[in-house]
Amino acid sequence: MDKNKQYKAVFFDLGGTLRIALMDEPYMKHARRKMAEIAGTDLPYEAFYQLVEERYEPYRKWALGENKESGDEELWCKWLLPDYDQARIKQVCHELSFQYRQTKGRRVVVDGGVEVIKGLRQRGYKLGIISNLIGENEVPDWLEEDGLDQYFDSVILSSVCHLRKPCAEIYQLACADLGVAPEDCVSVADNVKRDLAGAIEAGIGANILFESPEKKHPVVFTEENRPDAVIQDFRQILDLLP
């Protein structure tokens, strides 16, 4: 990674990078119960959750194959609960997305995350988020609740722009949102296949791979997706970006 280059902006991935999911079973169980409650199902909550999981698989296959993402209303009305009361589902679709994500874990900012965000901002970098995830409201609400919204100039979510990484377009959209050329930006992410390929294709100037505590297998690189730097501690970003 060229430490002599003056980069202007840093984009963060969320899941497995800036935010880590903790396997908190009581928390996750509460979310499964909440999903069933707000959907108004007659099924036991665990059976309802399994129904959603089964229907999520073809949606996920479509999303990954097309590099697209549905908004909350389309996700729940078209893909996951088309046979439920549509007026009700439209009304609660945002909360359904939020609770469904909570069934996968309780999300917290990675160790050193806030320190890095504040440190980079103090150094004059523009900051952005580029994330693949369902749910249109969770991230803006979290940023506001944690007082982090003031540090980010751009938040690009696949559920809002309907594009998914690794497509280069989502990076180009984020760069345009910041008014910074791709070659002047740095990407920080944890997924080689999903995050690095699109960033490299979009011409992002430098790519930092975070060896996330969520990853259970060693990372294998090819010449096409080799990052410019690999870090194990999130705070190492401050050493790489003066």
Side-chain angles (χ1 to χ4, degrees):
M1 186 165 171
D2 186 0
K3 289 190 176 182
N4 294 318
K5 179 173 173 57
Q6 296 295 311
Y7 296 101
K8 298 178 181 178
V10 182
F11 291 115
F12 292 97
D13 171 56
L14 281 185
T17 304
L18 188 55
R19 296 178 94 196
I20 304 298
L22 304 179
M23 296 297 101
D24 182 338
E25 180 52 35
Y27 182 90
M28 296 155 68
K29 182 177 181 180
H30 174 77
R32 297 194 296 270
R33 284 183 181 274
K34 192 68 176 177
M35 280 179 62
E37 177 187 319
I38 61 180
T41 183
D42 294 326
L43 294 172
Y45 75 93
E46 294 290 12
F48 176 73
Y49 175 70
Q50 288 305 317
L51 173 69
V52 171
E53 286 284 80
E54 291 167 7
R55 292 177 175 183
Y56 190 78
E57 281 307 307
Y59 168 75
R60 179 174 170 77
K61 183 177 180 180
W62 169 81
L64 293 175
E66 299 293 330
N67 287 336
K68 293 182 179 179
E69 195 88 78
S70 292
D72 291 336
E73 184 175 320
E74 180 178 278
L75 174 66
W76 291 96
C77 290
K78 176 181 177 180
W79 292 95
L80 303 182
L81 300 177
D83 48 345
Y84 277 65
D85 179 349
Q86 294 296 281
R88 177 174 184 145
I89 299 307
K90 286 180 182 179
Q91 189 174 21
V92 300
C93 61
H94 301 301
E95 181 66 12
L96 280 168
S97 289
F98 174 78
Q99 295 298 340
Y100 182 61
R101 279 183 42 81
Q102 307 322 298
T103 67
K104 308 303 180 182
R106 178 170 58 84
R107 288 166 176 80
V108 297
V109 178
V110 68
D111 286 346
V114 174
E115 178 184 339
V116 169
I117 290 167
K118 292 181 177 179
L120 291 176
R121 192 58 186 255
Q122 288 170 356
R123 295 176 185 187
Y125 291 95
K126 290 186 175 183
L127 303 181
I129 287 170
I130 306 175
S131 179
N132 288 350
L133 84 170
I134 66 165
E136 299 171 40
N137 295 345
E138 177 188 344
V139 171
D141 289 348
W142 155 64
L143 289 171
E144 183 177 356
E145 288 166 6
D146 281 21
L148 297 176
D149 53 334
Q150 61 184 304
Y151 298 103
F152 289 95
D153 303 286
S154 175
V155 178
I156 303 295
L157 307 176
S158 61
S159 51
V160 176
C161 72
H162 309 304
L163 299 170
R164 282 181 60 91
K165 295 179 285 185
C167 75
E169 289 83 356
I170 197 169
Y171 292 93
Q172 293 162 352
L173 181 64
C175 290
D177 203 29
L178 286 187
V180 178
E183 60 267 26
D184 293 326
C185 297
V186 176
S187 171
V188 181
D190 71 306
N191 189 294
V192 172
K193 183 177 180 181
R194 181 185 64 224
D195 297 312
L196 288 181
I200 292 170
E201 183 183 348
I204 297 297
N207 292 283
I208 299 172
L209 186 87
F210 175 49
E211 292 190 340
S212 173
E214 287 189 9
K215 292 290 185 290
K216 297 179 175 63
H217 306 290
V219 179
V220 179
F221 304 120
T222 66
E223 288 306 313
E224 290 75 25
N225 65 16
R226 190 174 300 279
D228 298 285
V230 179
I231 61 173
Q232 291 78 40
D233 187 313
F234 211 71
R235 298 171 185 86
Q236 290 176 266
I237 296 169
L238 296 175
D239 299 327
L240 295 171
L241 297 174

